[in-house]
């Protein structure tokens, strides 16, 4: 059994336990393998296990490796989980199957224009700056409803909300707050939880978890 099998099995077991404790089915939680900074050779072993859902942080990096990998492997689904510059919107719409970092009106305008031009509609998550941290992307908590309204008016399918809680603190209250915001705004999906906290995120309603290190190992 390769390290990829071992790591994937370990993460899936943790997912199943967390879902069971929350009286949820693990089938309701999608595992996004975060492959940022990983080479195509690093990614292939996980693809060989049959896993097909991956996430990248940068458009340019993803464009350099994923077209080739998609030629080798069928049914790959690629999500953008990092910040997106408006001038990269068209490239992102062409390359990705979902975007998790919609966070401002100017990006709504750029994405709507790109989707119209390419005739390609992809779901987006509104990223919320859940810890109100100045160094992080995401819209203010108070702006979620208005940003959602603007996105829908522009013809963008808003799938749910996404957040990255502050580091070195208990993430649970932030996950719970994001879940409440989603419920208040009639959104079903929650992109939250990473390698160190995805079990907590699942217990609090995550539908998409973004896991890198636990699958690929620590970066050199």
């Amino acid at each position: 059994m390769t390290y990829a099998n071992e790591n994937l099995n370990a993460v899936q077991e943790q997912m199943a336990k967390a879902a069971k404790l929350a009286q949820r089915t693990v089938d309701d939680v999608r595992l996004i393998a975060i492959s940022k900074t990983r080479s195509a050779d690093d990614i292939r072993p996980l693809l060989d296990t049959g896993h097909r859902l991956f996430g990248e942080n940068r458009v340019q990096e993803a464009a350099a490796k994923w077209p080739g990998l998609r030629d080798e492997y069928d049914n790959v689904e690629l999500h953008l989980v990092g910040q997106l510059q408006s001038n990269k919107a068209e490239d992102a719409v062409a390359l990705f199957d979902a975007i998790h970092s919609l966070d401002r009106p100017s990006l709504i305008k750029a994405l709507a224009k790109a989707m119209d031009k390419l005739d390609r509609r992809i779901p987006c998550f509104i990223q919320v700056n859940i810890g109100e941290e100045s160094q992080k992307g995401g819209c203010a908590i108070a702006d979620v409803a208005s940003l959602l309204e603007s996105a829908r008016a522009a013809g963008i399918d808003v799938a749910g909300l996404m957040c990255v809680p502050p580091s070195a603190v208990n993430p649970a209250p932030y996950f719970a707050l994001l879940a409440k915001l989603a419920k208040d705004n009639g959104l079903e999906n929650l992109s939250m939880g990473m390698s160190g906290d995805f079990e907590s995120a699942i217990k609090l309603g995550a539908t998409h978890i973004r896991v890198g290190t636990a699958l690929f190992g620590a970066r050199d």
Side-chain angles (χ1 to χ4, degrees):
M1 182 182 290
T2 68
Y3 81 90
N5 283 104
E6 293 172 354
N7 291 352
L8 180 60
N9 288 341
V11 169
Q12 289 174 333
E13 287 177 8
Q14 290 174 273
M15 290 172 63
K17 288 178 182 177
K20 185 176 181 180
L21 286 171
Q23 298 183 317
R24 302 179 62 197
T25 171
V26 74
D27 293 338
D28 292 337
V29 185
R30 304 197 69 200
L31 172 60
I32 305 172
I34 302 301
S35 49
K36 66 177 183 179
T37 76
R38 309 292 179 174
S39 69
D41 287 341
D42 293 331
I43 297 166
R44 282 191 188 92
L46 194 55
L47 283 161
D48 288 337
T49 70
H51 192 77
R52 289 294 183 269
L53 178 55
F54 290 82
E56 290 280 344
N57 272 42
R58 296 178 184 277
V59 175
Q60 191 168 350
E61 181 188 343
K65 59 192 177 186
W66 278 103
L69 287 169
R70 277 179 152 158
D71 287 342
E72 296 177 46
Y73 298 89
D74 294 332
N75 303 316
V76 168
E77 186 175 335
L78 192 60
H79 290 207
L80 178 66
V81 300
Q83 292 303 113
L84 177 60
Q85 296 175 322
S86 294
N87 64 358
K88 297 286 187 181
E90 187 173 330
D91 292 338
V93 170
L95 181 62
F96 291 94
D97 300 297
I99 292 170
H100 290 237
S101 48
L102 179 58
D103 63 357
R104 59 195 187 278
S106 60
L107 187 54
I108 289 174
K109 183 177 180 181
L111 285 171
K113 181 179 179 181
M115 290 182 194
D116 288 342
K117 180 178 178 180
L118 299 176
D119 193 22
R120 186 163 195 259
R121 321 306 298 186
I122 62 173
C124 296
F125 290 74
I126 291 176
Q127 181 176 353
V128 183
N129 188 344
I130 204 71
E132 300 179 331
E133 298 172 275
S134 59
Q135 78 277 18
K136 282 186 180 173
C139 74
I141 292 169
D143 293 341
V144 170
S146 62
L147 201 66
L148 173 60
E149 182 180 2
S150 296
R152 285 176 169 165
I156 293 175
D157 172 22
V158 178
L161 302 181
M162 179 269 220
C163 77
V164 181
S167 58
V169 297
N170 179 9
Y174 299 97
F175 293 152
L177 177 56
L178 194 74
K180 182 180 185 302
L181 286 170
K183 183 178 180 180
D184 289 347
N185 287 280
L187 295 168
E188 295 183 2
N189 292 300
L190 292 167
S191 172
M192 61 188 195
M194 297 184 287
S195 288
D197 57 20
F198 68 81
E199 290 168 287
S200 175
I202 290 171
K203 291 172 188 175
L204 290 163
T207 59
H208 297 68
I209 59 173
R210 311 181 305 271
V211 178
T213 303
L215 291 170
F216 291 101
R219 292 182 182 82
D220 295 333

